[in-house]
Amino acid sequence: MPSRRSGTPAFVLLLLVISLSFCTSSSELDSRWAAKKLEMRDKVREMFYHAYENYMTYAFPHDELKPLTKSYTDSLSELGNLKLEHLPTDYSGSALTLIESLSSLAFLFHSLVIMGNNTEFERAVGWLSKNLSFDVDARVNLFECNIRVLGGLVSAHILASDSKNRLIQGSYDNELLGLAEDLGRRFLPAFDTPTGLPYAWVNLKEVRICFCLFPFVRGIYDSAAMQNSVDSMESWKVKLLKLALQGVLWSMRSSLNLFGTTLDVMTGEWIEHSSGIGAGVDSFYEYLVKAHILFGKDDYWRMFQSAYLAVQKYFRHGSWYHEADMRSGRATYWQLTSLQAFWPGLQAKVSDCNIINQVLVGDVRAANSSHREFFSVWEKYGVLPERYLLDYQTVHPTEKYYPLRPELAESTFYLYHATKDPFYIEVGEAIVNSLNFYTKVEGGFASIRDVTTMQREDHQHSFFLAETCKYLYLLFDDSFLAGRNYVFTTEGHPLPVLSDWHDRLPEAYIPSNWTYVKSRMPTERASAMSLQVCPATSLNLGEGQQPIESVCHVVDARGDHRCLRDEECGVDATSCRSRSCSIAGYCGLWLLV
């Protein structure tokens, strides 16, 4: 795996990363598990093509498939628009599902493709190159359009333009990149606000900006990461990337290093102070680490370290993560949301290849614990409800639906590759069987309107092809990732991590106030996170010494936990809270915070 820049460790750190460099793993399993993986891989391939072919038959070139009625919906303007306001009258779709399917059709290793069809990938690229236009009078949600359309186009461009992949047999003249640049230009006026944070909505044709309330984590890092993925760096990209690199969002955190979910981009004032790791904030934690990996800047890691410790301290309760007020840290809502299921996957970062000959994992113990709780809810209902009330152990009365979300499959994929535990193969099999039993219909895969009755809804979301099928496929067959190092966007689109990007990053992209962690010898009592190493390998101590149990864990100075002052006490492995010295002279969590 390439180093981030000269003078930094050769391995790509750490936990909570969607950065992968795999070697084929089937030889590590006995023949029974190898056969099971092949069987399940083929089932997932069939799922993908059933969903894709029905979309192409009944919905293309519109946005998404309605599988029950075998019709379509032009849903790009509806995404994030719960009240279905200001819908366009003459918008006829942008082939959203086709764009979202590109990286699943063409995620590769040499001449292979994820779903085994480079001919279809080339055909899709050809159609989009000739027919797709964003000169439409449609108001779209900036975040959703960004991660689905812009992300899908940039990722597919990178895959198509890499000659080693041999995905395009004919000519390709960067048409997808041109479409992405056009769309990006239409986004840019949304960032022209007093705070530098974007408006939530933008009209693609007239570049009208709409509404000043913005789910705060959602636009800057995605756009910057994707635009940094290509060599063409023009002035508008410089402006956009500088917004991200300057850490605008980070400056708006509370004194507890927590964030809300919605703020006024005109004033910078928070509108919603309750927060967690789910909707409205999930991508923020994800992209702090991804920005660190893509841009090679340690500032992002330090931001993430502080944010992660705050999450563990204020949101975690056993295996669950509740919501809390960003100002006080007090619990607000005791509930599980389906979007939270991405978190265990972020707690397992894998680097398993002959280049390094080691496995680096993060908080696998915590990740496994939370993952099992999510899966227990899946088993209880057959799928994962959108919201589950922890204090009542029942589904939320109005948010009973399951829209084919990928987050549990995503975490299962990462945890399997972090542990090689066949349990996760069994989880993946259960997910596949549930999807086929409850959601597969003649016209595709239908969402679930009510998990208590399994009443179906006439909607096949584009992310089912972009993420759900992709992560399940890669769980059972990761050979396409062998020797490759990718960061997956929050919509599951792959971006390659290349160290030479960091070397070629123009000075105009880099704020003058960057500070870097200087190389230093590891101190005896420091956390794995602060040292940027893995607790499961590099920090295992000698015989008779206390083991490092998590990324935030700092052992007490003495093995018997005796102390004379607080400085001799460490940090609790589970809660990430500082331990203190009691009057009796023992380290523990004596102070309630």
Side-chain angles (χ1 to χ4, degrees):
M1 187 178 297
S3 61
R4 298 187 305 282
R5 58 178 179 277
S6 177
T8 59
F11 56 82
V12 177
L13 58 150
L14 287 160
L15 86 161
L16 303 174
V17 189
I18 316 257
S19 170
L20 306 165
S21 180
F22 290 104
C23 290
T24 303
S25 59
S26 60
S27 61
E28 301 173 11
L29 300 174
D30 59 31
S31 58
R32 183 174 71 89
W33 286 111
K36 173 62 68 176
K37 291 175 66 178
L38 291 176
E39 175 191 352
M40 297 311 300
R41 179 200 65 183
D42 292 342
K43 282 189 176 182
V44 177
R45 181 188 286 118
E46 292 174 3
M47 288 170 58
F48 175 85
Y49 275 117
H50 182 70
Y52 179 79
E53 290 173 354
N54 273 285
Y55 164 75
M56 296 300 294
T57 300
Y58 299 112
F60 173 78
H62 298 276
D63 286 332
E64 291 178 319
L65 171 68
K66 300 179 74 172
L68 299 180
T69 57
K70 296 182 180 179
S71 58
Y72 60 83
T73 173
D74 292 319
S75 52
L76 183 60
S77 61
E78 299 174 1
L79 299 176
N81 188 358
L82 298 180
K83 297 181 180 180
L84 298 180
E85 300 174 323
H86 310 287
L87 295 178
T89 57
D90 58 351
Y91 172 68
S92 57
S94 299
L96 173 63
T97 296
L98 181 63
I99 296 171
E100 287 259 73
S101 300
L102 288 174
S103 60
S104 292
L105 285 168
F107 197 14
L108 55 120
F109 173 56
H110 295 305
S111 62
L112 299 176
V113 292
I114 260 187
M115 300 299 175
N117 196 334
N118 61 314
T119 302
E120 181 63 17
F121 175 84
E122 184 171 8
R123 190 199 68 79
V125 169
W127 187 93
L128 292 169
S129 300
K130 296 176 181 178
N131 298 281
L132 184 60
S133 172
F134 298 115
D135 189 26
V136 292
D137 186 11
R139 192 193 75 148
V140 299
N141 181 278
L142 181 66
F143 170 71
E144 294 289 352
C145 192
N146 182 33
I147 65 170
R148 300 195 193 203
V149 183
L150 181 61
L153 290 172
V154 171
S155 177
H157 159 71
I158 294 173
L159 297 175
S161 59
D162 188 342
S163 60
K164 293 179 295 184
N165 302 332
R166 292 180 288 176
L167 292 171
I168 302 292
Q169 303 301 316
S171 61
Y172 174 70
D173 193 25
N174 300 330
E175 290 90 350
L176 297 182
L177 177 60
L179 289 167
E181 291 197 58
D182 176 57
L183 182 59
R185 293 179 191 277
R186 296 172 188 272
F187 285 170
L188 192 58
F191 291 83
D192 188 16
T193 66
T195 61
L197 297 176
Y199 293 95
W201 302 87
V202 63
N203 185 286
L204 294 178
K205 186 176 184 66
E206 300 181 15
V207 199
R208 292 195 303 264
I209 49 183
C210 320
F211 297 132
C212 59
L213 301 182
F214 184 68
F216 86 99
V217 302
R218 298 253 175 174
I220 294 181
Y221 289 98
D222 265 332
S223 297
M226 292 170 185
Q227 295 309 321
N228 189 44
S229 304
V230 294
D231 293 332
S232 178
M233 295 181 175
E234 301 173 6
S235 59
W236 72 275
K237 297 173 187 173
V238 172
K239 179 179 178 181
L240 185 59
L241 187 53
K242 286 183 72 175
L243 284 173
L245 294 179
Q246 286 166 352
V248 176
L249 297 175
W250 185 248
S251 66
M252 297 178 178
R253 69 193 186 279
S254 74
S255 60
L256 305 180
N257 288 331
L258 297 177
F259 298 84
T261 54
T262 308
L263 55 76
D264 189 318
V265 301
M266 300 301 292
T267 65
E269 297 294 324
W270 289 100
I271 305 300
E272 176 55 65
H273 296 94
S274 182
S275 186
I277 57 171
V281 69
D282 49 349
S283 298
F284 177 68
Y285 300 109
E286 187 177 344
Y287 273 97
L288 280 178
V289 178
K290 291 177 181 178
H292 168 73
I293 296 298
L294 285 175
F295 304 141
K297 299 295 181 286
D298 287 323
D299 293 63
Y300 287 121
W301 180 250
R302 288 195 290 275
M303 292 179 197
F304 171 74
Q305 178 179 352
S306 298
Y308 181 76
L309 295 179
V311 166
Q312 297 297 98
K313 183 175 182 179
Y314 296 106
F315 297 158
R316 186 177 177 184
H317 182 77
S319 300
W320 301 104
Y321 290 85
H322 58 76
E323 297 182 17
D325 191 296
M326 62 174 287
R327 300 162 295 185
S328 65
R330 293 189 177 91
T332 52
Y333 301 107
W334 291 84
Q335 57 190 8
L336 170 154
T337 64
S338 61
L339 289 174
Q340 293 176 352
F342 87 102
W343 188 259
L346 248 63
Q347 291 182 299
K349 181 269 174 190
V350 185
S351 173
D352 181 11
C353 200
N354 291 332
I355 297 174
I356 306 176
N357 195 30
Q358 63 179 337
V359 177
L360 300 179
V361 289
D363 264 356
V364 172
R365 178 183 298 183
N368 174 67
S369 177
S370 295
H371 176 275
R372 287 175 184 267
E373 296 292 357
F374 280 106
F375 184 55
S376 70
V377 178
W378 179 286
E379 288 186 302
K380 182 176 182 178
Y381 293 100
V383 293
L384 193 63
E386 187 71 2
R387 196 174 299 271
Y388 181 78
L389 303 178
L390 298 176
D391 42 359
Y392 295 101
Q393 293 292 294
T394 188
V395 68
H396 189 281
T398 61
E399 297 186 53
K400 303 178 180 181
Y401 52 90
Y402 169 67
L404 306 175
R405 290 201 187 278
E407 284 76 17
L408 184 60
E410 176 185 0
S411 286
T412 304
F413 159 63
Y414 285 117
L415 277 164
Y416 172 69
H417 286 291
T419 66
K420 300 298 188 292
D421 186 343
F423 165 74
Y424 297 107
I425 298 297
E426 294 179 324
V427 172
E429 180 180 14
I431 293 174
V432 169
N433 291 339
S434 289
L435 290 172
N436 279 313
F437 185 77
Y438 292 114
T439 73
K440 185 177 181 180
V441 296
E442 184 180 15
F445 284 84
S447 300
I448 299 298
R449 184 185 300 275
D450 185 339
V451 301
T452 63
T453 64
M454 286 301 173
Q455 177 188 4
R456 296 187 180 106
E457 184 175 358
D458 197 13
H459 198 164
Q460 178 181 287
H461 292 268
S462 63
F463 54 69
F464 179 72
L465 292 96
E467 299 181 86
T468 308
C469 289
K470 179 184 295 168
Y471 286 125
L472 288 171
Y473 188 90
L474 291 175
L475 169 65
F476 303 120
D477 186 350
D478 63 11
S479 61
F480 305 110
L481 296 172
R484 303 278 178 166
N485 187 19
Y486 285 103
V487 166
F488 287 98
T489 73
T490 198
E491 190 72 5
H493 299 303
L495 299 176
V497 178
L498 303 174
S499 60
D500 60 346
W501 287 356
H502 307 156
D503 300 333
R504 293 185 284 117
L505 199 64
E507 288 297 324
Y509 277 68
I510 304 174
S512 60
N513 62 344
W514 280 120
T515 57
Y516 297 100
V517 175
K518 302 298 182 182
S519 297
R520 61 185 185 277
M521 292 297 293
T523 58
E524 180 182 355
R525 295 179 60 249
S527 70
M529 181 176 288
S530 62
L531 295 177
Q532 299 184 348
V533 294
C534 169
T537 55
S538 303
L539 285 187
N540 283 338
L541 305 180
E543 184 177 355
Q545 293 183 287
Q546 303 174 66
I548 303 297
E549 298 177 0
S550 75
V551 291
C552 63
H553 185 203
V554 177
V555 299
D556 297 332
R558 295 177 54 174
D560 60 3
H561 309 293
R562 296 298 300 269
C563 58
L564 295 175
R565 58 187 186 277
D566 289 345
E567 289 75 15
E568 294 177 305
C569 300
V571 175
D572 182 68
T574 300
S575 67
C576 295
R577 295 180 178 178
S578 296
R579 292 156 61 85
S580 59
C581 190
S582 69
I583 297 176
Y586 285 91
C587 292
L589 292 176
W590 311 117
L591 299 178
L592 296 177
V593 179

